[in-house]
């Protein structure tokens, strides 16, 4: 029968254990998933459609990768499955709210500088003469 000490030693020396990047990279990746869960409170209009597509795609792609490497990295698999699900949930919120419009309003620099009152003032456009 294995003792707690032998299990801890086995975990410590595992190829995907805490002495390797294969443990720490997925562990820190949980921060992205936790931030995505915190965004559940935000209105769907403020959720970024391209960002959630990237989060979902990353989760799906790396979940598959985590099952194909040797040894199977269950920490990597778990964080990426969670990441894919949170991204899909955010996308479903965004789409069901009907605000999947990804267009960003274009603001010209000259209008912004003139409106702020700082920086060089840009003269208004001169009307063209008709010949």
């Amino acid at each position: 029968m294995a003792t707690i000490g032998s299990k801890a030693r086995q975990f410590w020396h595992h190829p995907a254990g805490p002495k390797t990047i294969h443990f720490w990279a997925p562990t820190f990746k949980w921060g992205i998933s936790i931030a995505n869960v915190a965004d559940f409170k935000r209105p769907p209009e403020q959720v970024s459609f391209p960002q959630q597509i990237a989060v979902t795609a990353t989760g799906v792609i790396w979940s598959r990768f985590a099952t194909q490497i040797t040894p199977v990295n269950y920490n990597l698999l778990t964080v990426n499955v969670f990441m894919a699900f949170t991204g899909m949930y955010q996308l479903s919120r965004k789409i069901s709210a009907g605000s999947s419009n990804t267009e960003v309003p274009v603001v010209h620099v000259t209008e912004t500088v003139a409106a702020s009152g700082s920086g060089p003032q840009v003269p208004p456009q001169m009307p063209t003469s008709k010949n």
Side-chain angles (χ1 to χ4, degrees):
M1 184 169 188
T3 64
I4 293 175
S6 67
K7 287 287 188 184
R9 194 170 20 275
Q10 188 179 16
F11 171 69
W12 183 257
H13 294 294
H14 190 271
K19 293 192 319 184
T20 68
I21 190 67
H22 307 292
F23 174 81
W24 292 107
T27 300
F28 283 107
K29 196 172 186 179
W30 277 104
I32 297 170
S33 295
I34 292 167
N36 214 20
V37 169
D39 285 347
F40 289 173
K41 296 178 183 176
R42 294 176 74 189
E45 298 79 32
Q46 293 181 354
V47 173
S48 170
F49 197 72
Q51 177 183 349
Q52 294 308 319
I53 289 174
V55 167
T56 304
T58 299
V60 170
I61 292 166
W62 286 98
S63 293
R64 169 74 174 141
F65 175 77
T67 63
Q68 300 304 305
I69 58 175
T70 303
V72 174
N73 190 335
Y74 292 107
N75 189 15
L76 183 64
L77 176 63
T78 307
V79 71
N80 283 298
V81 167
F82 193 76
M83 192 175 223
F85 281 129
T86 59
M88 285 186 268
Y89 176 70
Q90 290 284 52
L91 285 172
S92 69
R93 286 181 59 223
K94 182 83 169 168
I95 292 168
S96 66
S99 57
S100 61
N101 187 2
T102 59
E103 292 183 29
V104 176
V106 177
V107 177
H108 297 286
V109 175
T110 55
E111 294 171 2
T112 306
V113 170
S116 69
S118 63
Q121 297 297 318
V122 179
Q125 295 240 333
M126 299 299 290
T128 57
S129 61
K130 296 180 182 177
N131 290 337

